[in-house]
Structures are given as C-alpha cells and as structure tokens.
Amino acid sequence: MSISTANVTTSIANAYVSSGNTCVTFLSLANYSAANVTANVYVVPSGSAAGNLNVSVANIQITTQDTYQFYAGNEKLILANGDSIQVSAGANNAIAAVVSYTSI
C-alpha cells in the first residue's frame, strides 16, 4: 500500500491521481485549524473536470481539530489510470487530506 497527502485549499486540486488501476482503501480529511471548515470531495474520471456531476461529498463541515473518514469500513474505490480524487475547502491551509491506495 501507498500513501498520498495533500494540503487542501479553496481551489479544487488533486489529493490523489491514479497511476494504472488502483484501489483506494482509505481517505481522510483532518481539520487542524482553530475554526470549523467545509470541504468538498470529487471523484473525477480521467479527462474530466471536477464539478456537480462527480461531487462525492458536498459542503461537509469538519469541526475544529476533527477528522472525517471515507472508505474506512472495508469499502473500496476502484480508479482507472488518470482518475483522481480532488478536494477543496472553505479556508486555505486548514485541512489535510490523506489517501491510502494499492495497485490492482
């Protein structure tokens, strides 16, 4: 397994891009700031842009010093080459994204 990390900003950006076929086994968003922050998560097919058609979680509020976990209960997300998980937040430098994945 491998780990990818990203600092989440107000601009939609990659938290993880699949290289080959991969399986995402864990994704978390941790709010390390002193304020509550909203976040969005997009699962984006290769060649597409993040938007309303591929938003997986919209405007989830993560309270200060808390973490929101996805794919933690034996759920998996299968991605093809070039597919990505993209994230944005309501504030810069407040949320860290951690993705665990493995090649399949």
Side-chain angles (χ1 to χ4, degrees):
M1 285 210 200
S2 298
I3 303 280
S4 175
T5 61
N7 182 43
V8 181
T9 67
T10 56
S11 298
I12 299 170
N14 292 328
Y16 171 70
V17 178
S18 181
S19 177
N21 294 325
T22 58
C23 177
V24 173
T25 58
F26 178 81
L27 166 63
S28 70
L29 298 177
N31 179 357
Y32 56 86
S33 74
N36 297 344
V37 179
T38 59
N40 298 299
V41 178
Y42 304 86
V43 179
V44 183
S46 180
S48 296
N52 291 338
L53 293 179
N54 50 36
V55 65
S56 177
V57 176
N59 293 314
I60 185 151
Q61 186 173 90
I62 305 172
T63 58
T64 183
Q65 304 298 311
D66 200 3
T67 301
Y68 190 84
Q69 295 180 351
F70 308 82
Y71 312 112
N74 292 325
E75 299 170 8
K76 308 293 184 271
L77 179 64
I78 308 298
L79 300 177
N81 189 52
D83 292 349
S84 62
I85 296 174
Q86 299 180 27
V87 294
S88 65
N92 285 322
N93 305 317
I95 293 180
V98 176
V99 180
S100 176
Y101 62 93
T102 188
S103 296
I104 54 173

